[in-house]
Each structure stands twice: as C-alpha cells, then as structure tokens.
Amino acid sequence: MRNLDENTITQAVIERNEKIQDDRLRHVMASLVQHLHTFARDVQLTEKEWEKGIEFLTAVGQICTPTRQEFILLSDTLGLSTLVTAQNHKKPENCTEATVFGPFHVADVPMVDLGADISNGMKGVPFYVKGTVRGVDGEPIPNATIEAWHADEDGFYDVQDPNLIGCKGRAVMQADSNGAYHFKTIMPECYPIPHDGPVGKMLEAFKRHPWRPAHLHFMLSAPGYERLVTHIFREGSNYLESDAVFGVRSSLVCDWVHHESGVTPYGEQTGKPFVTTEYNFILNREKN
Ligand code: BEZ
Ligand code: FE
C-alpha cells in the first residue's frame, strides 16, 4: 500500500487492522481511527498542534504513579467519564443514579461494624450518615456491602498524605438484615481536583476552575443487583452547578443538616456542632 493521501489513509489503517481477532476490539479500533482522522481533518490539525498534543499526553503519562492517575483526571475533566457512566448505567427511574468513580478509591479497606466512626482521626465536624439499601420494588437488601470514602475538612483524601498510616475517611460495612446502614465520620468539604499537573494547566488555560462540590463517595453491591458507584452531594454546597468533573445529579443532592449542639443520633449530649444526613439507595437488578 503506497501513495496514501489524506483521502485514502483512514481506510488503509482500518483495513490493516482487519486481522484483529476479537470482533469488539476490531470494531472499536475502526471507529477510533475513523473519528481520530475525522477530527484531524475537521480542525485541519497543524504539525505544531499535533506536537503539542503529543507533548501534553506524554506529560499526562509521566506524572502518573500508583496514587496519581492523571488520565482519569483528563477523562473526568473532558466529560468522558460522565458520558461512559451515563451510557452504561441506564436504569429504571427510581434507581439511584451512578456518577464518576474518581481516582481516590482504595481497594481492600477494612470492614467495620455498622455505627463505626470511619474518620479514624480525620479533621472535621462530626457527621452522622444513615439510610437504607433497597431494590426497585422496594425490597430491603439485607447485608448489602457499602463502601464509603471522602475528603476531610480541608478537602484532602487520606491517600494524599505521604505520611498516612492505615486509612482515614473510608471503610466497608454491611447493611443490617433490613437493608439499613449508619455510620459516623467527619463532614467532607469542597476541594479542587489535583491541579498541579498537566490537567491543572489545561484547566487554567481554558479558564476553568478545578473545584468539586462537597460530597461523599459510595460503592454498593449485593448478589443479584448491579453494582452502584455514586456520591451524595451537600445541598447548598458551592460548585454544584460547575463541578470540575461534571458529576452532579440532582437526585444525589441531599440536605446535610447542621446542628449547633444537642443530642447526637448516637444519644450523646454534645455542646459542639454536628451534621446529620440520610440517603436511601435503590439498586437496579443485575442484568442477565
Ligand atoms: C473525586 O471525587 O474523588 C474525584 C473525582 C474526579 C476527579 C478527581 C477527584
Ligand atoms: Fe471525591
């Protein structure tokens, strides 16, 4: 195959890839090449721009470590994560909506009892969270696995602390026999996504801010139900309308009720402020 030009190169690449054995991979690659080339034609990409793009992607790769995933930040800030989440989690209207996973989840965190304080010494106002896990027909999901993780009052996750020992502001628990859950932690605040790398530079160049509204991450699972990765957001938080990663859904915004003092949900009298919230999750049935 010789003398390929701007009109024939796309089909040539697609044909060269025709021997890909896996049908799905062949289809995805043909579409990717088609769209990539269409993009370059569309904007009449210059050589300088192509070089800049390569430099940018190289920098994105170079800053990645096991705890710094710049490609996820890039996907999130370009809205790709929200698009992929939305098209893969179409479900009945009453189900709890999914949102972005983010880069701060940690696998294999310890299992705690219901009611535990998962803050493990993290800084912030005491926060009491409770609710239920049910299926679409309203059936309680006994023993559903509930994983929660969140930032502290300064907007940092435990894994962003280089001196961290153990884990803070994250845990796995199991709902009780009625699908109910509750735990104590501290109230997470708004925070900027890591913006000291190429994605941060990109946001700055585009006159975009890196902030996320205050939220708590959840991952819920139970046999026979679709796994749900989601957040709950604080009603009234800053950035609900301009989340840097496009993750806010109205159905996930709930009241985080401030109490100046009084009796906590755990029956303790306190002279200090605390916050309470309740969120009831509805899981979709697993697809066969
Ligand atoms: C997060 O909420 O943890 C997050 C999501 C996307 C990018 C950065 C952080
Ligand atoms: Fe987060």
Side-chain angles (χ1 to χ4, degrees):
M1 225 177 263
R2 296 186 185 188
N3 307 324
L4 295 164
D5 61 22
E6 59 183 294
N7 297 312
T8 54
I9 180 65
T10 306
Q11 200 47 36
V13 178
I14 291 172
E15 280 169 22
R16 185 72 61 85
N17 286 345
E18 214 106 89
K19 289 202 242 22
I20 297 176
Q21 293 276 300
D22 186 290
D23 289 347
R24 173 69 183 165
L25 180 61
R26 196 171 55 252
H27 173 67
V28 168
M29 285 312 299
S31 179
L32 178 65
V33 168
Q34 186 84 56
H35 282 85
L36 199 58
H37 289 206
T38 301
F39 153 73
R41 278 191 201 96
D42 209 34
V43 299
Q44 285 293 300
L45 195 68
T46 67
E47 285 171 309
K48 275 240 156 321
E49 289 163 346
W50 175 85
E51 260 170 43
K52 274 258 173 224
I54 297 287
E55 263 171 38
F56 176 74
L57 290 175
T58 303
V60 169
Q62 282 172 339
I63 201 174
C64 286
T65 67
T67 54
R68 174 71 184 257
Q69 232 307 350
E70 196 78 358
F71 278 107
I72 293 187
L73 296 183
L74 182 59
S75 165
D76 292 343
T77 51
L78 293 182
L80 181 62
S81 307
T82 286
L83 169 60
V84 172
T85 300
Q87 67 187 4
N88 282 284
H89 296 280
K90 294 180 188 132
K91 33 188 161 193
E93 218 172 87
N94 64 339
C95 286
T96 305
E97 294 185 279
T99 190
V100 294
F101 198 65
F104 295 124
H105 176 259
V106 170
D108 303 322
V109 302
M111 176 78 81
V112 298
D113 290 335
L114 283 178
D117 181 347
I118 72 166
S119 68
N120 198 15
M122 220 176 197
K123 283 190 338 182
V125 177
F127 187 28
Y128 297 85
V129 184
K130 70 171 184 179
T132 54
V133 188
R134 293 179 183 274
V136 266
D137 296 323
E139 74 283 10
I141 306 180
N143 310 321
T145 302
I146 302 165
E147 186 161 356
W149 66 103
H150 64 82
D152 66 12
E153 66 175 2
D154 296 325
F156 290 107
Y157 284 81
D158 58 353
V159 287
Q160 294 175 286
D161 173 0
N163 302 316
L164 175 73
I165 298 170
C167 64
K168 296 181 177 181
R170 62 179 77 239
V172 185
M173 64 203 85
Q174 277 187 313
D176 70 14
S177 56
N178 299 312
Y181 73 92
H182 67 287
F183 60 94
K184 181 183 176 190
T185 188
I186 56 93
M187 190 179 77
E189 275 299 347
C190 301
Y191 64 83
I193 64 168
H195 58 112
D196 56 344
V199 170
K201 282 207 189 91
M202 177 189 83
L203 293 179
E204 206 180 318
F206 296 172
K207 305 270 178 265
R208 285 174 53 182
H209 71 70
W211 287 85
R212 300 216 64 208
H215 62 274
L216 192 57
H217 292 256
F218 281 96
M219 178 154 72
L220 295 100
S221 54
Y225 293 88
E226 210 181 278
R227 188 182 80 161
L228 172 67
V229 174
T230 195
H231 308 354
I232 60 172
F233 295 92
R234 174 160 58 87
E235 181 62 272
S237 171
N238 285 337
Y239 312 111
L240 283 172
E241 302 306 325
S242 65
D243 182 9
V245 302
F246 307 99
V248 180
R249 317 212 53 86
S250 298
S251 66
L252 303 176
V253 180
C254 58
D255 286 327
W256 294 13
V257 183
H258 182 90
H259 307 259
E260 248 331 291
S261 61
V263 181
T264 72
Y266 289 8
E268 297 149 346
Q269 181 72 41
T270 176
K272 293 195 180 136
F274 61 96
V275 175
T276 56
T277 195
E278 174 168 2
Y279 198 88
N280 299 323
F281 294 97
I282 300 184
L283 304 189
N284 198 10
R285 247 184 294 280
E286 197 164 48
K287 292 184 189 84
N288 297 316

